[in-house]
Amino acid sequence: MGFAVSIDGRVGSPEEVTLKVTDNGFVFGDSAYETLRTYGGRPFELDRHLRRLRRSIALLGFELQTSDDEIKARIDACLSFASNDESYLRVIVSRGVGDMSYRFERIPEPTIAMYVKPLEPNNEALYEKGASAVIVSIRRNPVEALNPAMKASNLLNNALATREAYAKGAFEAILLNTRGEVAEGAGSNVFIVKGGRLLTPPLSCGLLAGITRELVLEIAAATGVPFEERVLSADDLKTADELFITSTLKELLPMVTLDGVQIGSGAPGPVTKALLSAYRARI
Ligand code: PDD
């Protein structure tokens, strides 16, 4: 079981392959990223992740000339160097190496960094029992300030929200936007089930277009679960029949308490369980 790093195509151990301290990604969080995981050793939904990576880069305002085929070849090299059964994979593209200033014109080209480590899957008991979430005091970055639609490595908003949730003993932080509407989890998207209907906030609430979120909506459409993107309040979440979060690493994870309030029966609900097994079947 191992670790691997790739920087601009050089692959090796994290000790051998390192970044320059003047990389804008390190200095300003001026980079976009994707977190993937493998199933059967292969990265899941790689094309969707690469499409979103390019959308984030466009929002950050720089260009990546490297082709998807070249990025895929580097990912393969990194995964084989690490040679894990299942891996966590992060692909980070920064604006590039600068001189610790805002003289962006001095940056020759983007840096493409990858990091692979053994996957640490969530305990299956968590899916059977469900976990707890809290609504944190920190609000999600407004779209006009640092658009959550871009998966940028400037993650202080998310990191501070998660610290607040952990301090309260919760598994996930749920953030409201500055209008007081539910936006998303610190590292996930949020869904509820109410009266048999699947509901999730629309992208206009200021959130990442999660790939797992997209897949769950596709599965709901294919399996006849009625769903709607709707603005949700904290109260809608607390009075829901079921609540779950989604992410590449968490898949669909039931939340059975929110701010200490029991959700539905206090156990993972039937719609969540059916969607999770359909998701796993798709994998
Ligand atoms: N995070 N919203 C935020 C803020 C996230 O950080 C993530 C995922 C998601 C879900 O996106 P997806 O379904 O595409 O994984 C939503 C990843 C796992 C991370 O930051 O490592």
Side-chain angles (χ1 to χ4, degrees):
M1 301 280 261
F3 296 78
V5 171
S6 163
I7 294 176
D8 296 331
R10 278 178 305 125
V11 182
S13 70
E15 290 72 34
E16 290 161 350
V17 183
T18 54
L19 270 179
K20 293 202 168 70
V21 75
T22 47
D23 195 291
N24 263 37
F26 176 73
V27 179
F28 304 124
D30 186 9
S31 64
Y33 78 101
E34 285 296 324
T35 300
L36 295 92
R37 60 153 293 174
T38 64
Y39 290 98
R42 304 305 307 149
F44 183 58
E45 293 291 358
L46 179 53
D47 287 326
R48 292 192 203 224
H49 281 281
L50 291 181
R51 275 201 297 278
R52 186 172 64 187
L53 181 62
R54 289 189 189 277
R55 287 205 303 274
S56 299
I57 289 170
L59 286 166
L60 289 173
F62 63 92
E63 274 172 35
L64 179 67
Q65 307 287 358
T66 313
S67 69
D68 280 2
D69 282 348
E70 173 62 23
I71 296 172
K72 286 178 184 177
R74 292 187 195 179
I75 289 174
D76 281 345
C78 217
L79 288 172
S80 18
F81 185 93
S83 61
N84 298 314
D85 290 341
E86 298 295 2
S87 293
Y88 165 108
L89 162 69
R90 188 175 284 218
V91 180
I92 306 170
V93 181
S94 84
R95 196 178 303 272
V97 177
D99 65 352
M100 237 173 251
S101 76
Y102 292 140
R103 301 292 298 267
F104 300 108
E105 74 282 5
R106 292 181 178 165
I107 297 172
E109 60 187 357
T111 304
I112 304 180
M114 297 174 189
Y115 178 72
V116 169
K117 63 179 176 177
L119 183 79
E120 295 176 65
N122 282 316
N123 196 324
E124 214 36 51
L126 209 53
Y127 293 86
E128 281 152 25
K129 291 195 181 132
S132 62
V134 286
I135 294 181
V136 291
S137 63
I138 293 178
R139 297 291 172 104
R140 193 73 180 107
N141 294 316
V143 171
E144 303 80 6
L146 198 56
N147 190 349
M150 56 189 181
K151 201 161 171 58
S153 310
N154 191 320
L155 284 166
L156 261 189
N157 185 229
N158 315 57
L160 294 176
T162 302
R163 281 178 56 83
E164 187 178 331
Y166 287 175
K168 291 177 175 161
F171 182 87
E172 178 66 314
I174 293 178
L175 292 93
L176 306 179
N177 63 23
T178 50
R179 297 190 293 267
E181 303 153 350
V182 173
E184 61 181 336
S188 62
N189 291 116
V190 176
F191 285 81
I192 60 170
V193 179
K194 205 156 195 173
R197 234 181 149 65
L198 183 65
L199 303 170
T200 194
L203 300 180
S204 57
C205 285
L207 50 113
L208 182 73
I211 286 163
T212 322
R213 174 186 184 277
E214 199 171 280
L215 293 171
V216 166
L217 294 178
E218 286 174 16
I219 290 167
T223 56
V225 176
F227 67 91
E228 195 187 321
E229 292 179 86
R230 192 196 285 176
V231 174
L232 298 173
S233 65
D235 210 47
D236 288 328
L237 265 49
K238 286 179 189 161
T239 56
D241 302 326
E242 302 178 34
L243 169 67
F244 66 91
I245 59 171
T246 61
S247 87
T248 297
L249 299 175
K250 300 177 190 95
E251 303 179 326
L252 286 73
L253 189 61
M255 296 287 121
V256 291
T257 68
L258 178 62
D259 291 346
V261 176
Q262 179 180 307
I263 306 299
S265 67
V271 178
T272 308
K273 284 196 211 162
L275 288 168
L276 174 61
S277 56
Y279 181 82
R280 287 182 168 168
R282 192 183 185 285
I283 294 160

